[in-house]
Amino acid sequence: AQTVTQSQPEMSVQEAETVTLSCTYDTSENNYYLFWYKQPPSRQMILVIRQEAYKQQNATENRFSVNFQKAAKSFSLKISDSQLGDTAMYFCAFGVSSGDKLTFGTGTRLAVRP
Amino acid sequence: KAGVTQTPRYLIKTRGQQVTLSCSPISGHRSVSWYQQTPGQGLQFLFEYFSETQRNKGNFPGRFSGRQFSNSRSEMNVSTLELGDSALYLCASRRAGLLNNEQFFGPGTRLTVL
């Protein structure tokens, strides 16, 4: 069974600053995907970024980037130039290539201060 | 392209009743997954349907069931409701394929059991 751990229940960052959210996972699978999802107060879950385990290069999407350390089973999300609209719950999630079940962490509530 | 839709958005039931929630996936998406989100347990996988067949099931009692129709729309049913079933129920769809594991979430149905 897979587990996903997010050790930071809440974080706060000043607008325009950079923040890093942590995530670790445990699995015996070799092929898998990792995701960061954002859930704003409106509740719609939105995919922020994804990483395939077989890719060594860290994924980036505009202001969002990950630091994927496969050996350490670590998958952190860096948000650069934080904006007020980044205020949300962020969930780290794990998915196996051949299936649809996602295992989620407990989430990190991020507040961006003006 | 329309996103994942869920109906109803809000529902209030009493203990012992049953409830049916509906999910319409993104056009062309054949896989539908259901998740339960509560403050205490976080996001937990309920089940996943593909081509009208349940492919994967989480660790929930038999009171939770689902089905998928030929047009990929899915319903989940909870019988003999308990107070602990109060939660946000999220549906997610994806275009099936071994290399594409991105799921798109709906806005959720907020179920309150009194």
Side-chain angles (χ1 to χ4, degrees), chain A residues 33 35 37 39 42-47 50 52 91 95-106, chain B residues 4 9 31 33 35 37 43 45 48 55-56 88 90 94 97-103 105-107 110:
Chain A
Y33 294 78
F35 306 85
Y37 279 92
Q39 190 177 40
S42 67
R43 296 286 186 179
Q44 185 92 37
M45 192 87 73
I46 303 165
L47 179 66
R50 61 180 263 173
E52 291 89 341
F91 292 96
V96 180
S97 299
S98 60
D100 272 296
K101 172 184 176 180
L102 289 178
T103 301
F104 286 87
T106 51
Chain B
V4 178
R9 292 294 308 279
S31 168
S33 297
Y35 294 84
Q37 186 176 19
L43 279 150
F45 172 79
E48 182 248 340
R55 275 204 308 198
N56 208 344
L88 181 69
L90 295 171
R94 77 174 184 98
L98 291 179
L99 300 181
N100 183 350
N101 214 20
E102 180 173 345
Q103 297 192 26
F105 284 82
R110 167 73 64 188

Side-chain angles (χ1 to χ4, degrees), chain A residues 58-69:
Chain A
N58 289 326
T60 61
E61 287 288 342
N62 301 313
R63 298 182 296 107
F64 300 88
S65 62
V66 299
N67 182 4
F68 173 49
Q69 302 289 328

